[in-house]
Amino acid sequence: MADSIMSKAATMEIPISSNGDSRTLAEDDGLEQATHWNLDEKDLQQVMVSGPNLNETSIVSGGYGGAAEGIIPTSSIKAPNMHHSNSNPSMMAEEATRGVAVEKFDTVKKWSINTYKCTKQMFSERFGRGSRTVDLELEVQIDLLRDTKSKYESVLRLASALTAHFYSMVQTQQALGDIFADLSQKSPELQDEFGYNAETQKLLCKNGETLLGAINFFVSSINTLVNKTMEDTLMTIKGYENARLEFDAYRADLEELSTGPRDAGTMVRIEIAQQQYGIHRDKYERLRSDVSIKLKFLEENKVKVMHKQLLLFHNAISAYFAGNQQQLEQTLRQFNVKLKPPGSDKPSWLEEQ
């Protein structure tokens, strides 16, 4: 009789304590009704059931269905090392895998919702069915900046072409001066004529190198203004325009939900929509303020830079074509333009591109 009872006890199921209850992730009720998607986080995770608590169970000696020799309480067995070496690593790996899957699912879900809303808002604006938030004063300044950048790019392109052509002319003058000087030594009957032509070409070459230094400085400054300063401001404007589109998308979504029926599910979605609307409104206002500040500083910097560069360009060109070598050199000193070492045949940075 005792053997029968013990054999039956050996085959009984071990109850799972409260710390081993299976848990599943709840469905997310925040997924938008307009998408008609039926996604469930349970598709990405398994129901994890933890093992029994050894401190609350007993181990029956003997094999399955075999004769029992006695019951050994688990408190007398040092099981923590075995539990940590076998159970915990696998459970921790499974928990980590499940956490990564849930995080990726949330990221994809948020991106999908945001993309859907923004795409819907963009098409609504394009076809005249949706309203658009407009800051008229800021929009005028942004359009003016884009037009100004386009014209400054034309100035930069033409000034670079002028530098390249003028550099070729200076190189030709230098080669011509060298040939005149050589012929002056080898042609006694034309020594004087070749001589003063050689001196003239060398002087023109020297003044040309000085002018090239001024033009290169002008091109470099315009390049920095257009491709760094203005481009940085336009990148901020791009972020502002994206934030404006998101703000209008969530505003339209909140307005649509507010005009619909007010059941329990709708009220939850309205509350979530209000939170998202507040987040994107704050982001939009912050970026709008950033754009206003950057446009203001850009305008001040542009006026300061162009005032200096246009004055340099005018004075250098005028002095060169007037043949005033002293004024040309003084202009470069006035604007702290440094020339390359004398006798250096290294081309300008534009020629190296």
Side-chain angles (χ1 to χ4, degrees):
M1 182 68 177
D3 292 343
S4 176
I5 293 174
M6 294 303 296
S7 177
K8 182 178 181 181
T11 61
M12 293 176 64
E13 294 181 357
I14 300 176
I16 298 176
S17 61
S18 60
N19 69 333
D21 292 340
S22 61
R23 290 183 293 271
T24 58
L25 295 177
E27 264 188 66
D28 187 0
D29 293 331
L31 195 59
E32 300 306 317
Q33 184 177 6
T35 60
H36 299 289
W37 294 343
N38 188 19
L39 299 177
D40 190 351
E41 290 182 2
K42 291 187 292 184
D43 294 335
L44 297 179
Q45 51 188 318
Q46 299 291 334
V47 178
M48 305 296 296
V49 181
S50 61
N53 190 340
L54 293 179
N55 292 327
E56 298 178 3
T57 61
S58 298
I59 298 177
V60 180
S61 63
Y64 177 77
E69 297 180 0
I71 300 177
I72 304 174
T74 58
S75 59
S76 64
I77 301 176
K78 296 181 180 180
N81 292 336
M82 177 185 67
H83 181 74
H84 285 293
S85 61
N86 296 327
S87 300
N88 277 358
S90 61
M91 291 179 62
M92 291 174 63
E94 292 172 354
E95 290 288 341
T97 303
R98 184 178 66 172
V100 171
V102 172
E103 182 180 356
K104 289 184 177 180
F105 177 84
D106 290 339
T107 301
V108 172
K109 184 181 67 176
K110 291 177 181 178
W111 175 85
S112 300
I113 293 173
N114 188 73
T115 302
Y116 169 78
K117 291 181 181 295
C118 292
T119 304
K120 179 182 177 182
Q121 176 65 23
M122 183 176 61
F123 279 103
S124 297
E125 293 176 3
R126 183 166 297 180
F127 292 103
R129 293 194 298 265
S131 60
R132 178 177 182 270
T133 302
V134 178
D135 188 327
L136 294 177
E137 182 179 357
L138 195 61
E139 292 292 333
V140 169
Q141 294 178 4
I142 292 174
D143 291 340
L144 180 61
L145 171 60
R146 289 195 171 109
D147 182 65
T148 301
K149 184 175 183 291
S150 177
K151 292 178 179 178
Y152 274 48
E153 286 173 343
S154 298
V155 171
L156 178 62
R157 183 174 61 254
L158 293 173
S160 300
L162 175 64
T163 303
H165 296 323
F166 196 77
Y167 174 79
S168 298
M169 188 184 74
V170 170
Q171 292 296 102
T172 303
Q173 288 174 335
Q174 182 177 6
L176 189 59
D178 291 340
I179 292 178
F180 282 158
D182 183 62
L183 290 173
S184 175
Q185 299 295 326
K186 297 179 180 180
S187 303
E189 66 281 3
L190 296 173
Q191 182 176 7
D192 293 337
E193 289 79 358
F194 278 125
Y196 58 69
N197 273 282
E199 293 297 327
T200 301
Q201 293 301 320
K202 289 181 180 180
L203 179 61
L204 289 174
C205 181
K206 179 181 178 181
N207 291 342
E209 289 178 349
T210 305
L211 179 60
L212 272 176
I215 299 178
N216 279 335
F217 187 75
F218 175 83
V219 170
S220 177
S221 299
I222 301 300
N223 180 67
T224 301
L225 178 64
V226 172
N227 293 321
K228 292 185 178 180
T229 310
M230 289 185 178
E231 189 63 29
D232 177 71
T233 304
L234 288 174
M235 290 297 295
T236 305
I237 290 173
K238 183 178 180 180
Y240 156 76
E241 291 175 341
N242 291 336
R244 196 279 309 164
L245 182 63
E246 291 178 348
F247 167 67
D248 282 337
Y250 282 90
R251 175 183 55 79
D253 182 61
L254 178 60
E255 292 174 354
E256 182 179 352
L257 289 173
S258 299
T259 57
R262 297 299 184 93
D263 54 14
T266 303
M267 293 304 297
V268 173
R269 286 193 292 271
I270 289 176
E271 182 178 355
I272 296 175
Q274 287 176 339
Q275 295 175 357
Q276 293 296 321
Y277 168 78
I279 292 173
H280 287 87
R281 179 192 59 198
D282 294 341
K283 180 182 178 181
Y284 165 73
E285 292 178 350
R286 183 180 69 254
L287 286 174
R288 181 176 62 179
S289 176
D290 291 345
V291 169
S292 298
I293 293 173
K294 282 201 171 186
L295 285 173
K296 178 181 178 181
F297 282 110
L298 174 62
E299 183 65 21
E300 294 176 354
N301 185 49
K302 182 192 71 175
V303 172
K304 181 179 179 181
V305 169
M306 292 308 298
H307 175 77
K308 175 181 178 180
Q309 295 303 319
L310 291 173
L311 187 60
L312 165 67
F313 190 81
H314 172 269
N315 291 349
I317 292 289
S318 300
Y320 174 81
F321 285 100
N324 192 336
Q325 179 182 359
Q326 183 178 359
Q327 183 181 354
L328 180 59
E329 294 176 351
Q330 183 180 357
T331 299
L332 268 67
R333 288 194 299 269
Q334 177 184 354
F335 293 97
N336 298 319
V337 178
K338 295 181 179 180
L339 299 176
K340 59 184 179 181
S344 175
D345 293 330
K346 183 179 178 181
S348 66
W349 65 273
L350 285 172
E351 294 297 319
E352 293 176 346
Q353 302 304 315

